[in-house]
């Protein structure tokens, strides 16, 4: 699966003055242009089919997705980012501040500049979690969307290796655009008096379209023979980050089924999603094609909230007239924006930021199709630190095998005991479970580490050091501590290759997995009497 790494922001603070100047010029535009902008950025026309119910359903879904994301962070944030965690936020921000000066606030937009201790980490997580619940129950949805987006952005910008996933970019884009899509007010109901704007709804669907289409393009442009030979799904269920028990059974199906699902995936990503630009009936058909497609992925693989957010976006393909078959039609709708200079300021601010996001994301797509296309890149670069504009490319290159990293400790140098994971495959007789949309970032990221050499992931060695000290924050990321009385003298990270078993083996032995040792993954460490560490051996 492709990943999005941490990115750097712009180096010219004068761009902020350029933004202010552009907004000032927009406010002086003629009334005709303002009227044209109002039709796009203002409330949709009462004569349109209406999208109050789709907006209501989308925002409730977005609240649930934010809730799953923050719930995942609550239990992991201290072990991953805390002062005694694997990648302490305080150390990272201190380094950025020493290198970037005042630009640090733009390059790493996070609330943790105000404080990065244990309490600050917990407050941000719990604030986002409470805001997501309030968004679900439709209390101040615009404000709660803003709180969720800011707190989630704060975590993602600070987490570095543990936030370089495409799903994080999807949620941040959805959060930003929903600020212009959500109704105002404390208890707005369906928001009949504040109808959604066509531009904000289109841009949310534009994210949905790009997730699919850019992933399809990436598959074709990567040159991976698995997609061209229709073998991409043959070992897909086994080799993903966190398989499920349903995926185990799907893996047992014949090649013809896997070839069909490979073709279906390409057809959906490169063809079906274009129904977005066809008349209403085709968009409804598109929704009902993709809903079971995404449910099937959810059941057979744990991809955090990627599939849930794809389903949430697709709700916007529907309209009030269609949903009115099951739910009451809204009684009244807003008839456009108000009058006056204050309304015009809000209009142009919305138009500016929505247009900026649309340009950046469209440029990403065009550059995939035509590399080297001479497009202005400053608007793209300016959004990179916040990840409000992203390029997607899920499964551009298929993983050829399943490797697992396992931490082990010993007190005598001979008998090694494994640290049990909470979510990763480990015990051969334990069925892989369904966790999504929960995202265990520690277990998940170890899967990515297994695809490359250890020196590209120095946090693995940092984890070994913390285990040698029986660090409680990091131990909380594991199912249990095999050395509860005193820390181990030595810790190592070993490398395994895993395979699903077949049906006869499972029936006979009750085993879901088989595995083979591949030796050390990272250097093994020993804790010396003075508390320092020494390297005992390194991978060959």
């Amino acid at each position: 699966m492709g990943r999005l790494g941490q990115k750097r922001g712009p180096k010219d603070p004068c761009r902020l003055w350029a933004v202010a100047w552009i907004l000032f010029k927009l406010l002086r535009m003629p009334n005709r242009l303002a009227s044209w902008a109002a039709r796009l950025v203002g409330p949709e026309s009462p004569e349109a089919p209406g999208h109050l119910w789709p907006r209501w359903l989308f925002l409730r879904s977005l609240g649930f997705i934010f809730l799953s994301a923050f719930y995942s962070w609550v239990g992991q944030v201290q072990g991953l980012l805390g002062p005694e965690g694997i990648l302490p936020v305080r150390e990272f921000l201190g380094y950025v501040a020493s290198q970037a000066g005042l630009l640090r606030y733009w390059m790493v937009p996070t609330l943790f500049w105000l404080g990065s201790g244990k309490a600050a980490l917990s407050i941000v997580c719990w604030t986002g979690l409470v805001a997501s619940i309030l968004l679900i129950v439709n209390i101040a949805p615009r404000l709660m969307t803003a709180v969720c987006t800011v707190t989630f952005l704060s975590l993602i910008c600070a987490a570095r290796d543990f936030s370089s996933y495409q799903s994080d970019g999807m949620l941040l884009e959805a959060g930003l655009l929903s600020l212009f899509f959500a109704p105002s007010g404390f208890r707005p109901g369906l928001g009949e008096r504040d109808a959604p704007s066509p531009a904000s709804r289109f841009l949310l669907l534009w994210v949905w379209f790009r997730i699919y289409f850019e992933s399809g393009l990436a598959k074709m442009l990567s040159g991976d023979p698995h997609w061209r030979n229709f073998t991409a799904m043959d070992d897909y269920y086994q080799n993903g980050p966190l398989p499920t028990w349903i995926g185990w059974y799907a893996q047992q199906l014949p090649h013809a089924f896997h070839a069909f699902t490979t073709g279906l995936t390409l057809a959906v990503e490169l063809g079906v999603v274009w129904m977005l630009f066809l008349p209403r009936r085709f968009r409804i058909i598109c929704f009902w094609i993709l809903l079971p497609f995404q449910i099937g992925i959810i059941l057979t693989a744990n991809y955090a909230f990627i599939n849930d957010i794809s389903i949430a976006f697709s709700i916007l393909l529907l309209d009030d007239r269609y949903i009115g078959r099951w739910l009451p039609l809204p009684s009244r709708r807003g008839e456009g924006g108000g009058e006056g200079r204050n309304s015009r300021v809000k209009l142009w601010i919305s138009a500016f930021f929505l247009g900026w996001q649309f340009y950046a994301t469209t440029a990403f797509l065009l550059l995939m199709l035509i590399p080297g296309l001479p497009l202005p890149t400053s608007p793209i670069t300016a959004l990179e630190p916040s990840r409000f504009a992203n390029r997607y490319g899920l499964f551009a290159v298929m993983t050829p095998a399943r490797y697992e990293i396992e931490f082990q400790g010993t007190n005598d140098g001979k008998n090694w005991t494994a640290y049990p994971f909470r979510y990763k495959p480990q015990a051969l007789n334990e069925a892989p479970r369904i966790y999504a949309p929960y995202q265990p970032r520690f277990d998940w990221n170890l899967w990515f580490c297994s695809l490359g050499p250890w020196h590209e992931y120095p946090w693995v060695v940092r984890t070994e050091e913390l285990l040698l000290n029986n660090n409680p924050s990091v131990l909380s990321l594991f199912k249990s501590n095999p050395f509860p009385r005193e820390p181990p003298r030595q810790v190592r990270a070993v490398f395994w290759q895993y395979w699903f078993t077949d049906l006869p083996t499972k029936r006979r032995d009750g085993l879901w997995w088989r595995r083979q040792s591949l030796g050390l993954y990272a250097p093994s460490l020993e804790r010396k009497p003075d508390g320092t560490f020494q390297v005992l051996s390194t991978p060959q």
Side-chain angles (χ1 to χ4, degrees):
M1 179 186 291
R3 302 203 306 170
L4 296 172
Q6 192 69 30
K7 303 170 182 177
R8 295 183 177 178
K11 298 183 179 179
D12 184 6
C14 293
R15 288 175 182 151
L16 298 178
W17 291 104
V19 169
W21 182 84
I22 292 172
L23 287 173
F24 172 76
K25 299 299 288 185
L26 288 173
L27 292 174
R28 299 173 61 87
M29 288 289 184
N31 289 334
R32 180 176 297 179
L33 183 58
S35 176
W36 173 80
R39 286 196 293 270
L40 289 177
V41 184
E44 62 185 1
S45 168
E47 285 74 34
H51 299 90
L52 297 181
W53 271 118
R55 177 176 68 177
W56 190 93
L57 293 169
F58 170 79
L59 291 174
R60 305 295 76 75
S61 301
L62 185 65
F64 275 109
I65 294 166
F66 269 123
L67 177 63
S68 72
F70 287 114
Y71 179 73
S72 302
W73 272 112
V74 163
Q76 303 176 72
V77 69
Q78 301 298 341
L80 298 180
L81 310 181
E84 300 175 351
I86 297 172
L87 294 178
V89 173
R90 184 173 296 165
E91 295 178 8
F92 170 59
L93 295 183
Y95 173 78
V96 174
S98 68
Q99 299 295 313
L102 289 177
L103 273 180
R104 63 184 181 268
Y105 302 114
W106 183 276
M107 295 177 66
V108 185
T110 176
L111 294 173
F112 295 126
W113 289 114
L114 303 175
S116 55
K118 288 185 176 182
L121 292 168
S122 295
I123 288 171
V124 168
C125 291
W126 281 102
T127 299
L129 189 144
V130 171
S132 63
I133 294 173
L134 295 176
L135 178 58
I136 292 170
V137 298
N138 201 23
I139 293 178
R142 184 175 292 175
L143 175 61
M144 292 306 109
T145 298
V147 174
C148 287
T149 303
V150 170
T151 49
F152 189 68
L153 174 65
S154 297
L155 289 162
I156 295 309
C157 288
R160 291 160 288 162
D161 286 39
F162 294 107
S163 65
S164 54
Y165 312 127
Q166 298 188 52
S167 55
D168 295 326
M170 295 175 193
L171 188 51
L172 286 170
E173 283 198 54
L176 172 71
L177 296 172
S178 294
L179 296 177
F180 304 93
F181 188 61
S184 58
F186 183 71
R187 292 289 288 172
L190 285 178
E192 293 94 333
R193 297 184 180 276
D194 190 8
S197 69
S200 60
R201 173 179 166 270
F202 171 77
L203 285 177
L204 286 165
L205 283 169
W206 181 238
V207 181
W208 169 87
F209 173 81
R210 290 186 296 108
I211 291 170
Y212 282 99
F213 186 63
E214 290 180 1
S215 295
L217 275 181
K219 291 174 175 61
M220 293 294 97
L221 296 174
S222 70
D224 185 354
H226 292 96
W227 290 107
R228 300 177 185 274
N229 299 334
F230 287 81
T231 58
M233 305 297 287
D234 285 6
D235 295 311
Y236 155 82
Y237 305 98
Q238 167 189 278
N239 294 342
L242 294 175
T244 72
W245 65 270
I246 298 177
W248 187 94
Y249 284 101
Q251 187 78 58
Q252 314 302 319
L253 296 172
H255 169 71
F257 173 81
H258 302 312
F260 169 77
T261 52
T262 300
L264 176 63
T265 301
L266 295 174
V268 163
E269 294 180 344
L270 297 173
V272 172
V273 292
W274 285 92
M275 289 184 175
L276 167 64
F277 305 103
L278 297 180
R280 171 178 177 269
R281 178 174 298 179
F282 292 93
R283 294 195 295 271
I284 295 171
I285 293 172
C286 181
F287 171 82
W288 287 112
I289 291 175
L290 294 183
L291 180 62
F293 178 78
Q294 290 293 344
I295 291 174
I297 298 175
I298 290 172
L299 294 175
T300 56
N302 288 293
Y303 295 130
F305 47 79
I306 286 179
N307 310 105
D308 303 83
I309 203 168
S310 298
I311 292 174
F313 282 130
S314 69
I315 294 171
L316 300 178
L317 294 167
L318 309 177
D319 54 40
D320 289 337
R321 191 186 309 165
Y322 182 75
I323 296 177
R325 299 180 181 187
W326 302 280
L327 297 172
L329 287 170
S331 58
R332 60 181 182 272
R333 303 241 313 284
E335 298 185 1
E339 301 296 331
R341 183 172 181 82
N342 185 54
S343 176
R344 177 173 287 195
V345 170
K346 291 167 61 178
L347 173 72
W348 284 117
I349 289 175
S350 298
F352 176 79
F353 284 104
L354 292 176
W356 185 2
Q357 203 270 348
F358 179 65
Y359 171 81
T361 55
T362 303
F364 274 134
L365 176 56
L366 292 175
L367 290 170
M368 285 186 72
L369 293 168
I370 312 173
L373 188 67
L375 294 173
T377 58
S378 292
I380 305 173
T381 304
L383 284 178
E384 283 183 346
S386 62
R387 293 176 62 178
F388 286 144
N390 302 279
R391 175 184 291 173
Y392 300 109
L394 300 170
F395 295 103
V397 177
M398 298 304 291
T399 307
R402 174 169 204 88
Y403 302 106
E404 292 289 354
I405 299 168
E406 181 179 74
F407 294 98
Q408 297 178 347
T410 182
N411 278 318
D412 58 13
K414 298 178 180 179
N415 300 300
W416 293 86
T417 303
Y419 285 82
F421 291 108
R422 291 182 180 272
Y423 308 99
K424 270 166 46 70
Q426 191 171 22
L428 303 184
N429 62 346
E430 185 174 317
R433 291 172 286 172
I434 298 176
Y435 307 108
Y438 184 90
Q439 184 170 24
R441 291 175 183 264
F442 177 68
D443 297 57
W444 182 285
N445 219 40
L446 281 170
W447 179 83
F448 285 107
C449 293
S450 72
L451 304 179
W454 69 269
H455 54 77
E456 294 183 4
Y457 305 96
W459 65 266
V460 174
V461 178
R462 162 77 173 168
T463 303
E464 291 182 333
E465 295 175 354
L466 294 170
L467 291 176
L468 282 170
N469 288 326
N470 258 1
N471 180 280
S473 296
V474 173
L475 285 168
S476 68
L477 301 172
F478 293 87
K479 185 184 297 184
S480 62
N481 179 12
F483 301 92
R485 295 184 178 179
E486 60 178 354
R489 289 183 51 237
Q490 299 174 16
V491 166
R492 66 184 185 183
V494 296
F495 209 28
W496 300 91
Q497 183 170 358
Y498 271 65
W499 297 268
F500 278 154
T501 57
D502 54 22
L503 281 169
T505 302
K506 181 179 175 298
R507 290 175 182 148
R508 183 183 67 249
D509 303 326
L511 300 180
W512 296 81
W513 298 97
R514 62 184 179 91
R515 69 180 185 177
Q516 177 182 340
S517 174
L518 300 178
L520 282 179
Y521 172 77
S524 60
L525 304 181
E526 182 178 44
R527 176 173 45 84
K528 297 167 68 175
D530 62 359
T532 59
F533 307 109
Q534 67 176 357
V535 175
L536 295 178
S537 56
T538 57
Q540 298 298 320

